[in-house]
Amino acid sequence: MNQKSLALLFLITAAALALRLSGVGSLLPQMTESDSRVIHQQVEHLQRGDEHPERDRNYGFYPLLVAKITACCFDDAPPRTPAADLEEHLQRASATHEHVRIVGAILSVLLVPATWLLARWFLSAGAALLAAAFAAASTLELWFAPQGRPHAAATAFAILAVVAAVNLRRRGRPIDYGLAGVALALAVGSLESGLAVLPAFAVALLLREEPARKASIAWTALSLAILALALRWLYPFFFAESHGRDAAQLTVGGGTLNLFGHLIFLDQFRGAGFAKLGATLRDYDPWISAFAVVGIVLAVRPRLPEKWKDLAVLLAHAVPYAIAAGLYARTYQRFAMPLIPYLCLLAAYAAQRISNPLPSLARGAVLALALAPQAWLAIRLAVVRREPDTIEEAARWIADHVEPADRIVVLPSLELPLPQTPAALEENARMSDNPNRPWFRYLSALAPSERPTPAWNLVAMPMATDADRAAIQNDPAAYVRGLHAQWAVIEVYSEDRKPPVLRSVRIGLEKVAERVARFVPDRVDEGEDLPIVYQDDEFSRTSPWAWRAARARCVGPVMEVWRIRS
């Protein structure tokens, strides 16, 4: 470890942070990710000091590490002075969600030094830095890190726990046991799947070097005690009395495990997740994945590697986790994130092997060239995420072309970032008064005199009841006419996207309205109706995500504005 390597690692880590914070408020407040309400509401409970937060199901959906850090770092008290303009109102409405994202993004950057710490045991100094750079520029990590979810932070803590386990195996000093306990606590305290690092800890204990074996069993107990204290602090809902469908639930019944609101269907462990993991790595991180495959081929050898014990600790985390995620049919793209650091190691190993026969200067050039395509993908993604999204573009079109008094109906999957009239706010309470609609809640909480103007008559299409949804699907055209609106703004739902009720609205519009504007995230509108939003694993048909995002002009769903014929 020399000063030059540390300086380069610092620069790579700083670049990783800049990439993750670029566009951190993307799509806010008009469209939130499906999980964003969870940590957001945890923070609200903590800041208010609620007496029984565990009675809110969302309070225990994830452990509280990210929420506690956010609550400590940010004061979400209402501003004392009125907002100067609409832009400031939108920023204030987004702030509490954006704070969660900022904390998650900063914590996720720990993945970069953690990957380097692992890689330096197996690779040359240059290749170890390349592995860290791959982790910094991974488009899968970059896409999910600035979202209101804990998965990117949990990935970083899990790799730090593996690093701590290897250190424990090698040296076994009291401080190594303490650090291992802290790292385990952070991994488990950020996400339930952090428990997957426990096998690495167990293998490290089993394969300790001779000096480490002399440590008293009490030091192992210290590690586990730190983990137990973290469970008590970061899973307080687990120790509370359950009142039904609340955060304290941990039950098994009818083939379903209810893990604090996560419903795990035990009959779905049939292997279908392997294809999803493979598709995620192919579509989100194709360059790293391709290099990793080369690394696997080059790493195959008839005898055990020299550092097989350290490798065994890594595999004790990566392999069981990959098997569990691969077996489960309802695996999501973000579940592949803990595997990315290991792919980065393999990719850097491939580049090292390819460059080894070359002179020193040429070896450095090969490592730089290996990183270049991934760096381009990462930079393009950061740039795209900073641009005004398609929902903002639709809102600007409405502001420029529609009279505020006209009735405008909006698909309730999102909000237009425009002021709403008092009558519209009252009507929208039925569909929009929920934590995933920060713009509505922000406007509703303002005194009428403080609300931005001019205000538009923007109304969410009623879809709250079974009768509403049946009316849409039975006769979409009659449903649209019954809204008594002059304009409609929709997110386009293609034929294979759920729920079908949202597709039916467009069918009705095609019969009674004319489309006057369309906004797509792609540079050229080729009729593709797939959005570039928080995730696309709910779609039966997807595109090569990293390539499409890198060539896009912005993010967002495909938006259309329709003028309804009178």
Side-chain angles (χ1 to χ4, degrees):
M1 186 187 307
N2 56 49
Q3 289 186 343
K4 182 180 177 181
S5 292
L6 288 177
L8 288 172
L9 178 64
F10 175 81
L11 290 176
I12 293 168
T13 305
L17 180 60
L19 289 168
R20 282 155 173 77
L21 292 179
S22 177
V24 72
S26 176
L27 292 169
L28 289 178
Q30 51 267 23
M31 175 185 275
T32 60
E33 57 269 62
S34 59
D35 284 349
S36 67
R37 68 186 184 279
V38 175
I39 301 181
H40 179 259
Q41 287 188 270
Q42 288 177 335
V43 172
E44 287 185 334
H45 284 302
L46 292 170
Q47 290 179 333
R48 291 194 304 254
D50 293 342
E51 186 176 357
H52 288 291
E54 73 279 355
R55 296 180 185 176
D56 176 3
R57 177 176 174 268
N58 286 321
Y59 187 68
F61 200 77
Y62 293 132
L64 299 180
L65 180 63
V66 176
K68 283 180 177 286
I69 294 174
T70 305
C72 288
C73 292
F74 292 97
D75 178 10
D76 287 330
R80 296 182 179 181
T81 57
D85 52 25
L86 177 59
E87 186 64 29
E88 187 173 351
H89 280 291
L90 292 168
Q91 289 174 355
R92 290 183 178 185
S94 306
T96 55
H97 286 266
E98 194 168 322
H99 293 164
V100 173
R101 291 185 177 188
I102 290 171
V103 169
I106 292 173
L107 293 177
S108 75
V109 172
L110 294 172
L111 178 67
V112 177
T115 302
W116 176 77
L117 286 169
L118 282 185
R120 69 192 176 100
W121 288 321
F122 302 96
L123 306 176
S124 67
L129 288 169
L130 177 61
F134 276 141
S138 161
T139 38
L140 180 64
E141 299 287 343
L142 279 176
W143 186 242
F144 284 99
Q147 294 188 23
R149 295 177 163 119
H151 297 77
T155 296
F157 288 132
I159 300 306
L160 284 174
V162 174
V163 171
V166 174
N167 270 327
L168 185 155
R169 188 206 72 75
R170 287 181 160 210
R171 291 178 282 192
R173 300 168 300 175
I175 191 173
D176 296 318
Y177 283 90
L179 290 174
V182 171
L184 283 170
L186 291 171
V188 178
S190 52
L191 194 61
E192 291 89 344
S193 61
L195 289 168
V197 301
L198 286 175
F201 180 70
V203 170
L205 290 174
L206 182 65
L207 298 180
R208 284 174 294 176
E209 297 294 345
E210 191 58 37
R213 290 183 179 276
K214 296 177 182 178
S216 166
I217 194 173
W219 295 119
T220 302
L222 171 65
S223 298
L224 296 177
I226 293 172
L227 176 59
L229 288 172
L231 290 174
R232 184 68 183 85
W233 185 50
L234 299 172
Y235 290 78
F237 42 84
F238 179 66
F239 303 94
E241 180 184 357
S242 178
H243 290 78
R245 287 185 57 81
D246 58 18
Q249 283 215 340
L250 179 60
T251 59
V252 179
T256 301
L257 169 63
N258 184 343
L259 178 62
F260 313 136
H262 294 273
L263 299 181
I264 302 172
F265 302 98
L266 302 180
D267 62 349
Q268 296 288 310
F269 284 90
R270 54 174 186 262
F274 287 107
K276 293 183 178 180
L277 290 177
T280 297
L281 298 175
R282 177 199 67 205
D283 291 345
Y284 278 75
D285 266 321
W287 185 253
I288 292 175
S289 299
F291 254 94
V293 171
V294 175
I296 292 172
V297 172
L298 294 176
V300 173
R301 57 181 68 185
R303 58 188 177 84
L304 286 174
E306 180 182 349
K307 298 178 180 177
W308 71 269
K309 292 181 180 180
D310 293 338
L311 183 61
V313 176
L314 273 64
L315 294 176
H317 172 238
V319 173
Y321 179 87
I323 291 174
L327 287 175
Y328 194 45
R330 296 171 70 92
T331 282
Y332 296 108
Q333 292 157 342
R334 56 191 179 273
F335 291 5
M337 293 171 68
L339 302 177
I340 291 295
Y342 302 113
L343 294 184
C344 292
L345 263 66
L346 286 167
Y349 173 74
Q352 176 182 300
R353 286 286 301 274
I354 293 169
S355 65
N356 271 346
L358 303 175
S360 177
L361 187 61
R363 285 200 299 270
V366 168
L367 297 182
L369 287 172
L371 176 64
Q374 190 63 42
W376 177 79
L377 287 172
I379 293 170
R380 280 296 307 151
L381 176 58
V383 170
V384 165
R385 195 157 45 193
R386 289 181 62 88
E387 296 297 320
D389 62 66
T390 54
I391 309 173
E392 292 179 71
E393 292 178 329
R396 289 176 184 175
W397 193 96
I398 291 293
D400 291 340
H401 296 85
V402 178
E403 293 296 326
D406 287 354
R407 184 175 173 85
I408 310 159
V409 289
V410 182
L411 210 63
S413 56
L414 48 84
E415 293 186 289
L416 288 186
L418 289 172
Q420 300 172 22
T421 64
L425 287 172
E426 183 177 352
E427 189 170 348
N428 286 335
R430 182 185 181 196
M431 290 298 300
S432 302
D433 191 8
N434 65 74
N436 277 353
R437 293 290 174 262
W439 182 230
F440 170 84
R441 287 200 161 181
Y442 172 82
L443 289 175
S444 299
L446 288 177
S449 61
E450 295 179 356
R451 291 172 185 162
T453 57
W456 274 262
N457 190 19
L458 288 161
V459 178
M461 298 179 190
M463 298 183 185
T465 67
D466 291 339
D468 291 334
R469 294 186 287 272
I472 298 170
Q473 294 187 280
N474 291 339
D475 193 341
Y479 171 81
V480 172
R481 288 194 196 96
L483 298 175
H484 304 296
Q486 289 81 47
W487 303 88
V489 183
I490 64 168
E491 171 189 357
V492 177
Y493 274 65
S494 53
E495 292 183 3
D496 56 352
R497 187 177 170 193
K498 298 177 181 179
V501 66
L502 298 182
R503 301 199 308 266
S504 298
V505 172
R506 191 168 187 252
I507 295 172
L509 287 170
E510 289 172 344
K511 296 178 180 178
V512 302
E514 59 178 333
R515 190 177 70 192
V516 294
R518 177 177 161 94
F519 305 93
V520 301
D522 306 285
R523 289 190 179 277
V524 178
D525 186 358
E526 298 178 345
E528 176 65 82
D529 289 335
L530 286 174
I532 303 179
V533 287
Y534 297 109
Q535 62 191 65
D536 61 3
D537 48 16
E538 63 187 80
F539 314 143
S540 60
R541 175 179 59 88
T542 61
S543 59
W545 185 91
W547 179 241
R548 182 175 176 227
R551 294 183 301 127
R553 61 182 187 86
C554 66
V555 298
V558 176
M559 298 290 296
E560 291 180 346
V561 181
W562 293 73
R563 181 188 287 114
I564 301 173
R565 293 187 288 270
S566 55

